Amino acid sequence: MLAAAVRASRGLCGVWAAPGGARLSSWLPQMVPFRGSHWQTSLLAFRASLPVRAQPKKKKKVDVKREQAQKDRMKKKIKKLEKAAPEMIPIEDFITPLKYSDSNRVRSLVPLSFEETERRVLLLKKWCLFKQKQDNAEKKAIQSLVEAQQEALKELRLESEELYQAAIRRDEGLFPFERDGPNYTPPLPGYDPPEGKCVDITKVYTQ
Amino acid sequence: MAALTAVHCGPRGNIMAAPRQRVASWGRWFCTATAPRPWRLFGAMCLLRLPRITQPLEKEEEEMAALMEQIELEKSHYSDHEIRKLEEEEQLRRRKESTYDDDEAPGKTVIMAQDLEDKWEQKLLQFEAAPRITDADKNNIRTSLDRRLDSNLMLLVKQKIGNQELWLLPQVEWQPGETLRSTAERAMATFLGDRIQAKILGNAPYGIYKYKFPRAIRTEGNVGAKVFFFKAFLQSSDLSQAELKEDYLWVTKDELGDYLKSEYLKKVNRFLLDL
């Protein structure tokens, strides 16, 4: 009788379980200790430890030391480089490129005749004299300029001291003085210069 | 006269001579020159248009230039262009003498260095530069700025002094409260308008011309005039503004003698460099 009742109740339970879906904990006749996850050591306790990854944990102190060591090495290198004497910048004008020292480059000249050398020497002497005269004339002109100015300033001083002081004062706006020098021919009105771009290829050296 | 007494009585330099408009309150200096200065002050401007082209070379300079070029050529080595030219001449010569160069494709168009040179020569001949001697030069128009491009031109204006009309550098009387440089600037502005661009060379005058008035006008307080000259370089090349006075000229230093009086000319010549 009892066995029949148990079978009947099991059967009834069986009938009930099918439409409701499988909810294990609701229809189990006795409490079975059930864990939500295998990380829970006891059912009633909360999660005691954090989830730990698979690889071992990195220690921060070793990193800092390594980085500092790297920085020191770099600084030492920089100091060494700075201590070395600065490289000399080559003067490109003084270095003849090798391609110009070929022997086929030497000009074949007719040797100078005696008259030619004589003419040259005499011309140089005449030039010397010409330049000397020119230079003397320039110096005289500058001297007369300075004298005239001194005289003017003297007269001005006699007139009024404050005007004189104003005259002696330095003119700040005078320098830098710029002027486009004289050319061989005057500028052509309406000239259209050919188009082109100037690319500067000079080598710039830094020490 | 008055100037000498001022020198004697003023021991300290800064009160040596009071300007003429200042009422002499420095009575304790016991100067007899307490009256206003008898000299009237003028500021004049010598405006120069600088040369635009180089001056022609003298005979010695030309000879020397030629010699220098020759020496430079003799001391030099062959350049790349010259080597190319020499090689091509060699090739041409060999081709003419013998016929073994016929295996080169004759249809190949090679630009020879000589052709390049001819082409450059042609291009140079096509270009026409502006003439160094302008029309104004040929017709001797002395009021234009395009004349005598290789020398300095300075401005002369006709001004009435007393009862005479004279050719002078533009001048204007000094007024109290301004420096002489600003007087000269004002003189320039009166004759050429406000928009003139000129660089005045410094605060100090370059020369002075002192003259006494004729006896008829001379009084105790008005003995004569002192004209202080200032120099300036003309920056703007075109003066499209109408000049206020029609009588103006741009002349070179050697032409000054045609217009200026001898004494005045002497003083002006001292501060003009020969160009």
Side-chain angles (χ1 to χ4, degrees), chain A residues 51-176:
Chain A
V52 179
R53 299 281 172 256
Q55 60 190 148
K57 197 166 147 184
K58 251 192 237 174
K59 287 189 194 165
K60 282 186 192 167
K61 282 182 189 170
V62 179
D63 276 349
V64 168
K65 270 190 193 166
R66 263 197 217 168
E67 280 175 25
Q68 265 198 334
Q70 265 182 341
K71 275 187 200 168
D72 288 333
R73 269 178 264 151
M74 293 295 285
K75 276 184 193 167
K76 271 191 189 170
K77 279 188 195 168
I78 291 169
K79 270 188 198 170
K80 266 193 195 168
L81 284 173
E82 277 175 2
K83 269 187 197 170
E87 253 180 41
M88 309 292 257
I89 299 178
I91 303 175
E92 309 225 342
D93 288 341
F94 293 172
I95 307 168
T96 329
L98 287 172
K99 71 170 180 168
Y100 293 126
S101 36
D102 270 349
S103 59
N104 69 333
R105 292 263 182 177
V106 178
R107 217 172 266 274
S108 53
L109 299 163
V110 179
L112 293 175
S113 64
F114 173 70
E115 287 89 14
E116 181 63 21
T117 42
E118 279 292 304
R119 179 194 80 100
R120 285 189 184 186
V121 167
L122 290 171
L123 182 58
L124 284 169
K125 291 193 175 193
K126 260 201 298 184
W127 176 250
C128 197
L129 200 65
F130 172 80
K131 267 302 190 187
Q132 185 192 42
K133 286 194 183 138
Q134 203 185 51
D135 194 39
N136 283 340
E138 263 180 37
K139 286 186 175 145
K140 251 195 212 164
I142 293 175
Q143 203 173 20
S144 110
L145 207 77
V146 167
E147 271 171 16
Q149 194 169 49
Q150 289 299 322
E151 194 188 302
L153 284 173
K154 206 168 64 174
E155 294 280 340
L156 184 58
R157 191 161 208 183
L158 288 178
E159 275 303 306
S160 115
E161 191 61 32
E162 63 173 65
L163 282 180
Y164 173 74
Q165 291 299 329
I168 313 185
R169 214 171 294 144
R170 201 185 274 198
D171 184 9
E172 300 297 336
L174 186 58
F175 294 113

Side-chain angles (χ1 to χ4, degrees), chain B residues 254-265:
Chain B
D254 32 347
E255 292 161 6
L256 277 178
D258 302 339
Y259 300 95
L260 298 179
K261 300 252 158 114
S262 62
E263 279 298 319
Y264 194 80
L265 178 68

Side-chain angles (χ1 to χ4, degrees), chain B residues 155-225:
Chain B
L155 182 66
L156 281 184
V157 281
K158 203 160 201 174
Q159 283 184 290
K160 193 154 179 173
I161 304 284
N163 44 6
Q164 275 180 320
E165 289 254 344
L166 295 171
W167 282 107
L168 300 169
L169 297 176
Q171 72 186 40
V172 145
E173 183 150 3
W174 173 77
Q175 266 151 28
E178 60 176 8
T179 57
L180 275 174
R181 179 186 162 147
S182 32
T183 319
E185 281 171 2
R186 198 159 52 90
M188 208 166 55
T190 7
F191 290 102
L192 289 176
D194 263 339
R195 297 281 193 81
I196 207 75
Q197 283 173 28
K199 185 123 194 180
I200 305 185
L201 306 174
N203 288 323
Y206 272 76
I208 179 173
Y209 175 60
K210 215 162 64 168
Y211 66 97
K212 289 193 182 164
F213 295 137
R215 293 208 176 260
I217 315 180
R218 215 186 294 178
T219 58
E220 254 311 307
N222 211 5
V223 169

